[in-house]
Amino acid sequence: MISSEMEKENTSQQYKNAMEVCRSLFSAKLKDYGSAWRILRLPSLTDQIYIKANRIRSIQEAKTQKISDGIREEFIGIINYSIIALIQLEHGVVSSPDFSPEKALKHFDEKSNLAFNLMENKNHDYGEAWRDMRVSSITDLILQKILRIKQIEDNKGETIVSEGLDANYLDMINYGVFSLILLNEKNFDA
């Protein structure tokens, strides 16, 4: 039996490894496209995340796919688009790209670290319950978060008793990373 301290260290390292994969792809896309994503409004980002989560669910249910990008790639997309949404929440939307690759990566790292710290705090309180979850259940939770975000967006960002947009995007980042970890541990796609 792994001690909880060893499990925590393992989770932290697995999380960092998964996030490095996401960061590498983000960095490569910055070289290809620059920071063109800076023009995206939050509802556009939410819809992009929805498309990816819905595709994951479709693949999980059908147990087949026709496009080569797999579930792992879609979770990476959810993580990266959620980080972009957090950046947009903080810095606003612009009419033309305005971030250098270095500045974009700096902001990516800030939001990634924010999500990591949240994960560690929640992991402490929840005792790594996510490790006993199915990836399909995590997919459903991401879809639920997206629907919550859409409702908050429709309410012009206002909530009465609920967490705001940023908390939902942070949760989706962590759900995405947990899914990547579980998929790697089980060495399969659903």
Side-chain angles (χ1 to χ4, degrees):
M1 186 88 170
I2 296 177
S3 75
S4 62
E5 193 58 38
M6 286 176 63
E7 199 170 66
K8 181 181 180 227
E9 287 176 19
N10 189 38
T11 298
S12 295
Q13 191 55 54
Q14 288 175 307
Y15 189 103
K16 290 174 183 177
N17 292 345
M19 194 55 78
E20 185 52 42
V21 170
C22 297
R23 187 184 192 279
S24 292
L25 181 61
F26 184 79
S27 178
K29 288 196 175 202
L30 280 171
K31 290 176 184 160
D32 287 347
Y33 307 126
S35 61
W37 51 267
R38 288 283 291 133
I39 69 150
L40 293 173
R41 294 171 287 184
L42 286 176
S44 299
L45 290 163
T46 303
D47 287 344
Q48 188 64 38
I49 296 166
Y50 172 76
I51 289 167
K52 294 190 168 301
N54 198 54
R55 180 167 183 263
I56 292 168
R57 186 169 171 163
S58 294
I59 292 169
Q60 289 169 336
E61 289 177 354
K63 307 259 189 270
T64 139
Q65 65 189 67
K66 293 190 176 188
I67 298 171
S68 63
D69 283 352
I71 288 175
R72 282 180 178 85
E73 290 80 10
E74 298 296 4
F75 278 119
I76 291 167
I78 288 169
I79 293 162
N80 285 355
Y81 277 116
S82 294
I83 288 175
I84 288 169
L86 289 171
I87 294 169
Q88 295 294 77
L89 264 174
E90 181 178 347
H91 296 280
V93 177
V94 295
S95 58
S96 61
D98 63 343
F99 282 3
S100 67
E102 297 77 24
K103 184 174 182 177
L105 284 169
K106 175 183 167 270
H107 290 302
F108 182 97
D109 292 341
E110 288 170 358
K111 301 309 178 193
S112 173
N113 289 333
L114 191 64
F116 177 79
N117 291 333
L118 176 65
M119 177 278 298
E120 288 206 316
N121 290 337
K122 284 191 173 186
N123 244 11
H124 176 271
D125 291 353
Y126 289 96
E128 301 220 340
W130 62 270
R131 287 193 175 274
D132 295 323
M133 293 178 67
R134 296 173 188 94
V135 174
S136 59
S137 296
I138 297 174
T139 302
D140 290 350
L141 289 172
I142 291 171
L143 283 164
Q144 178 191 38
K145 291 284 182 183
I146 294 165
L147 294 175
R148 288 178 177 182
I149 289 170
K150 285 182 173 217
Q151 185 62 52
I152 294 169
E153 289 170 348
D154 290 347
N155 294 342
K156 299 186 181 5
E158 298 297 319
T159 60
I160 298 169
V161 296
S162 304
E163 297 176 314
L165 294 171
D166 57 341
N168 285 286
Y169 286 121
L170 285 166
D171 283 345
M172 288 193 299
I173 292 167
N174 286 334
Y175 290 152
V177 172
F178 292 158
S179 295
L180 291 176
I181 291 170
L182 291 172
L183 290 170
N184 285 338
E185 285 181 348
K186 293 178 172 94
N187 199 25
F188 69 98
D189 271 345

